[in-house]
Amino acid sequence: MLAPRLRTLTAVALATLLAGAAGCSTGPAPASEPAGLPRSGGTLTWAVETEPITLNPHLYAQAKARLLVWNTFESLLGYDQQGKLAPWLATGWQTTPDGRSYTFTLRDGVTFSDGTPFDATAVKANIDKLREPGYTPAVAAVQLRHLDTVEVVDPRTVRFTLTEPDVLILDFLASPQGAQVSPRSLREAKNLKAGGVDLAGTGPFVLDRYVPGQELHYTRNPDYDRAPPGATHTGPAHLDGITYRFLKESAVRIGALTSGQVQLVEGVPATDQPLITANPRLRLIRQLNSGSAYSYYFNTSRAPFDDLRVRQAFQEAVEVDTVLRSVYRDTAVRAWSVVSPSGPLYDKRLEGGYGGDAATANALLDQAGWTRRDADGYRVKDGGRLTVRLVQAAPYVRDRRDVLAQAIQAAVKASAGIDLKVSLVDQGTAQEAFDSNQYEVFDNSRADTDAGVALNLLLHSQGGVNRTRVDDRRIDQLLEAGQATADPAGRASIYADLQQRVVTEQALLLPLYAPADQIAASTTVGGVRFEPTAGVPASAYDLWIGN
């Protein structure tokens, strides 16, 4: 049993959940700016849904923290508005024909906010730290799996040598985990893993205040003289400063916005969107995230999901469209695959191929020996109930995923007699459950710019977040081939085969929806945008306050 800190959610009838209403469309920010022309000065307050587990970019794991990371830190590369890799702290790079060596030239005259020069030695210090045992094992096992050496050629040149071709290395160097932290911070920070004001970056803002449980405050870096890829201006940020308040409850966030206590919020559920769209002083924009879809992953190392038929039955027991409509009021985009439909690796062939067939679900469970039901309507076998446990870590719960879990809980009981136990717990308790293998269902989505990163973490036999505990040689081969293949068409074909393998042939997960981010903002705020590839809110660099 899990520790008593677990808070078990009781099942609620699907009919009692929220019913449909039209929402706003998915798409990029509007081209016109109601705030007028950009101008400098002033401060803003932004209410965010989730407090970061860490402010160290190397240990970044929450999509909701990405907009904060890029305020302070920068990477060698980034993505432009067309979704193509572009220089950032690097000015360019060269690749050898065999794909095993990358040489980067670096910007001159850049310093970290603590005065430390940014140069090739700093880049090597960051990579050495990332490869240090126990520091960030997931990054070392996936993005840096094939990294052999990092060589300081001269102060402005650094060379990465790989043991074999690996297309994920460039995506890593454009990711938060590849962001550059001052070597002095790496040596001297009081709590490096937690991050915070002790960690210096080269970005357009400096974090100067963190009150746990309440807020973060950033002040403008006046020496910033460049721009992130995809930005709409260059030089210092427009704002003098910005405060991010942690307001977990959506009603509180929206109330703070409508009352003028904050000027922006992220995380606007369907129930609150009409309050924004009906208010002429506010606007709402939203965009799909890249990476992996939000899915329920099945732990194949434990009964009952060690039986393929039971995994398939769970997939069929949920009428996903109905459940999503009840919770998200037609604003959620259904997922059919482990890959988000917004990404180039998505396999459309999966659409409509499975799910929502209660008769098939019940036939599969009968074949698996779960033929009887108890007085409560749950299936039983050998005196035991067909029970599976979903453990949700509170810091990762966004988009009303706790309410969605209740809807699925009710659906699988009604359609197939499956007892889904849902527990919403703190991060420590969740990790304890995962480490001790005390769960049957694991929920996850990732906003990686390259879905290959997410898939390696979640599905490779050695993946750092492989909580399906699957060890399938075919899956490993496909993941490794996708990581080594540079040709876009070749990669798409490999990952299409992978998606067929994990979703249909092995039924390792139930895809639910494609995560999206929503920003509601006062019309006096300009420069609101999303990252072009990740689809998450961009940093505060382009924001300004209109007249």
Side-chain angles (χ1 to χ4, degrees), residues 22-23 27 47 51 58 91 98 126 131 135 141 163 217 272 293 305 336 356 391 437 494:
E51 181 173 1
H58 293 167
T91 58
D98 64 2
N126 274 263
R131 301 176 79 185
Y135 178 60
T163 57
H217 180 267
D272 292 324
F305 287 140
W336 289 95
V391 179
N437 202 22
I494 291 166

Side-chain angles (χ1 to χ4, degrees), residues 104-294:
F104 299 87
T105 54
L106 307 178
R107 287 184 179 271
D108 197 9
V110 176
T111 59
F112 293 94
S113 60
D114 63 3
T116 303
F118 167 74
D119 55 18
T121 300
V123 174
K124 187 177 188 307
N126 274 263
I127 299 299
D128 288 346
K129 188 65 183 181
L130 284 157
R131 301 176 79 185
E132 187 177 287
Y135 178 60
T136 175
V139 171
V142 177
Q143 292 102 315
L144 300 182
R145 176 192 300 169
H146 298 131
L147 180 62
D148 186 15
T149 62
V150 178
E151 175 189 358
V152 175
V153 178
D154 60 48
R156 303 263 68 82
T157 312
V158 61
R159 179 175 297 123
F160 288 64
T161 302
L162 311 180
T163 57
E164 56 186 272
D166 185 345
V167 297
L168 295 185
I169 191 72
L170 291 179
D171 181 76
F172 161 73
L173 293 173
S175 73
Q177 293 98 332
Q180 296 296 297
V181 178
S182 165
R184 183 188 300 173
S185 297
L186 296 177
R187 295 191 306 268
E188 301 176 5
K190 295 176 183 177
N191 189 338
L192 178 59
K193 288 204 169 184
V197 296
D198 287 339
L199 267 61
T202 61
F205 291 92
V206 176
L207 176 64
D208 61 359
R209 184 174 74 249
Y210 174 34
V211 182
Q214 297 183 37
E215 66 182 29
L216 294 164
H217 180 267
Y218 295 84
T219 189
R220 177 168 55 191
N221 177 358
D223 298 323
Y224 191 78
D225 62 355
R226 51 198 172 276
T232 59
H233 80 289
T234 60
H238 296 304
L239 297 174
D240 292 329
I242 185 166
T243 298
Y244 294 88
R245 293 178 59 192
F246 309 131
L247 300 179
K248 181 175 177 57
E249 299 299 327
S250 62
V252 176
R253 289 196 303 278
I254 301 305
L257 178 66
T258 56
S259 66
Q261 299 175 58
V262 305
Q263 291 75 51
L264 303 97
V265 303
E266 60 84 24
V268 185
T271 50
D272 292 324
Q273 289 179 10
L275 297 174
I276 307 301
T277 56
N279 190 327
R281 296 174 300 169
L282 303 175
R283 61 174 174 151
L284 177 69
I285 55 176
R286 62 196 301 265
Q287 189 154 312
L288 291 180
N289 297 167
S290 63
S292 61
Y294 179 64

Side-chain angles (χ1 to χ4, degrees), residues 25-42:
S25 62
T26 298
S32 61
E33 283 289 2
L37 296 175
R39 67 186 187 93
S40 296

